[in-house]
Amino acid sequence: MRAALPILLSASLATCLLPAQEPPPPIPGEEPPRKTDAEPDPAPPKAVVVPLGKKEAKPAVPSVDQLLEASEEGEVEADTMWLIIEHAKRRGLTTIDVLEDGTCQLIERTFGAGGRGDAIVVRAGKGVPASVSGTMMRHARRKTVLFGIGRDRLSLGAGSEQLRVGVAARHGRSVHTSPSAAFDAYPAEVREAVTALLQAARALPVAADVRAVVSAEFVDPRQARRLTAVGGQRLVAVRDPGRDATLLPPAVAAARMPGRKIVVRDALEWERIRSYMTAGGLDPDAGGQCLIAVGVQTFRLSVEVVGG
């Protein structure tokens, strides 16, 4: 009896393990066991059929009007602002420049007639109320003002005054300018802010120590090569103090913010501008345009002499 008990236990264990094992291979000459309905064959994977000539749909690219509508309340970062007003019938050009420290500069240039030369008057000071300059700065930062006005060149009025708005941040590391557009094309609140700022700026005292007004425009590398290699114009290298510099020489400030007019009041900085013009083959007392290289980029520097 004692010998039979282990045999029965091992036979029972073997019987319990049989269902978990795979069925044994068929004996030669016999049919393999058939699967029952409870174990159907797995269905083969369906092939994905792609119609010929059909491409994957891509998201529609939003139009300019849709982008403007989506960013109607959007603003750009700015701590400096300038306005350029071209008066009707070529009567003159007015530039208003509001600096980060609250200083406002007004440059009014009257085009000469009857053989007379152009007259340039510069006013500067901190007498503009912060509410007036702050209101205009808020309007100038709006994307609808910078990018949404003046796109249609056909809407420009030939006999009306033109307005261009420019803003910059972090000493020219971020710059945005609007296209020149008819003054009437701007919203009423923008026109009111410009008029109030112009009236306050014209009340500032005249700056008697102004030597010149400089501005710059970017020159395409291919055009720069034609002007220097073929045309024989001289290219003057101007040292850039670095992107993190907070005090910029006038020529570098003009290059970083193309279109903005920079007032030169310091005697040493004026001598540097004169040396650029002399190296470019120009008479520094007469003003004019010379080519300068700031870093790897070339600019056309325009110099308007105001005083001696």
Side-chain angles (χ1 to χ4, degrees), residues 9 19 31-32 36 46 48 57 60 66-68 113 117 124 126 146 186 204 218 228 266 274 286 297:
L9 287 174
E31 265 188 46
T36 62
K46 293 183 178 180
V48 179
Q66 290 174 334
L67 290 175
L68 290 173
K126 295 185 178 181
L146 287 172
Y186 288 84
L204 295 173
F218 176 73
T228 54
D266 184 75
R274 288 173 60 91
Q297 295 180 330

Side-chain angles (χ1 to χ4, degrees), residues 192-216:
E192 293 175 2
V194 172
T195 303
L197 181 59
L198 178 60
Q199 182 178 0
R202 280 178 170 166
L204 295 173
V206 176
D209 59 346
V210 175
R211 309 302 180 91
V213 177
V214 299
S215 60

Side-chain angles (χ1 to χ4, degrees), residues 133-199:
S133 59
T135 300
M136 188 61 231
M137 176 69 81
R138 286 193 297 271
H139 289 309
R141 283 198 293 247
R142 289 165 49 189
K143 292 183 178 179
T144 50
V145 173
L146 287 172
F147 312 129
I149 299 176
R151 299 194 315 273
D152 187 3
R153 305 299 297 180
L154 297 178
S155 66
L156 298 181
S160 63
E161 294 185 331
Q162 306 292 310
L163 174 65
R164 181 189 298 268
V165 180
V167 292
R170 302 186 306 279
H171 305 282
R173 297 179 66 179
S174 174
V175 181
H176 302 280
T177 57
S178 71
S180 182
F183 187 72
D184 294 340
Y186 288 84
E189 61 271 16
V190 177
R191 298 198 303 269
E192 293 175 2
V194 172
T195 303
L197 181 59
L198 178 60
Q199 182 178 0

Side-chain angles (χ1 to χ4, degrees), residues 3-306:
L5 185 59
I7 296 173
L8 292 174
L9 287 174
S10 58
S12 175
L13 290 172
T15 305
C16 295
L17 292 175
L18 284 176
Q21 297 176 353
E22 295 184 2
I27 301 174
E30 292 187 3
E31 265 188 46
R34 297 182 180 179
K35 292 186 178 181
T36 62
D37 295 339
E39 301 180 34
D41 293 335
K46 293 183 178 180
V48 179
V49 180
V50 179
L52 295 176
K54 186 175 182 180
K55 297 182 179 179
E56 182 182 357
K58 295 183 179 180
V61 178
S63 63
V64 175
D65 293 334
Q66 290 174 334
L67 290 175
L68 290 173
E69 184 178 355
S71 63
E72 184 175 359
E73 301 302 326
E75 295 183 352
V76 300
E77 182 184 358
D79 50 40
T80 304
M81 171 189 65
W82 60 93
L83 309 176
I84 300 178
I85 305 172
E86 300 177 24
H87 297 285
K89 300 180 181 180
R90 288 188 52 83
R91 290 178 300 160
L93 187 72
T94 300
T95 302
I96 308 175
D97 200 294
V98 180
L99 307 181
E100 185 178 7
D101 61 357
T103 300
C104 180
Q105 295 178 341
L106 174 73
I107 307 171
E108 289 197 292
R109 178 180 178 183
T110 304
F111 299 138
R116 295 177 301 168
D118 297 350
I120 300 178
V121 177
V122 180
R123 299 177 181 270
K126 295 185 178 181
V128 175
S131 58
V132 174
S133 59
T135 300
M136 188 61 231
M137 176 69 81
R138 286 193 297 271
H139 289 309
R141 283 198 293 247
R142 289 165 49 189
K143 292 183 178 179
T144 50
V145 173
L146 287 172
F147 312 129
I149 299 176
R151 299 194 315 273
D152 187 3
R153 305 299 297 180
L154 297 178
S155 66
L156 298 181
S160 63
E161 294 185 331
Q162 306 292 310
L163 174 65
R164 181 189 298 268
V165 180
V167 292
R170 302 186 306 279
H171 305 282
R173 297 179 66 179
S174 174
V175 181
H176 302 280
T177 57
S178 71
S180 182
F183 187 72
D184 294 340
Y186 288 84
E189 61 271 16
V190 177
R191 298 198 303 269
E192 293 175 2
V194 172
T195 303
L197 181 59
L198 178 60
Q199 182 178 0
R202 280 178 170 166
L204 295 173
V206 176
D209 59 346
V210 175
R211 309 302 180 91
V213 177
V214 299
S215 60
E217 60 177 339
F218 176 73
V219 179
D220 184 86
R222 292 173 295 181
Q223 184 185 7
R225 182 172 179 81
R226 289 196 301 268
L227 293 174
T228 54
V230 180
Q233 295 190 25
R234 300 177 186 177
L235 182 63
V236 182
V238 176
R239 179 180 174 274
D240 191 333
R243 299 298 295 175
D244 296 329
T246 57
L247 187 61
L248 301 176
V252 177
R256 289 193 184 182
M257 292 167 272
R260 179 189 175 194
K261 292 184 177 294
I262 308 296
V263 175
V264 182
R265 305 177 69 173
D266 184 75
L268 180 58
E269 295 296 345
W270 173 229
E271 288 302 322
R272 290 181 180 176
I273 298 294
R274 288 173 60 91
S275 66
Y276 301 154
M277 299 183 66
T278 302
L282 301 175
D283 181 6
D285 294 325
Q289 296 180 341
C290 61
L291 295 179
I292 62 172
V294 182
V296 297
Q297 295 180 330
T298 303
F299 299 89
R300 182 179 286 106
L301 183 68
S302 299
V303 181
E304 300 174 273
V305 180
V306 177

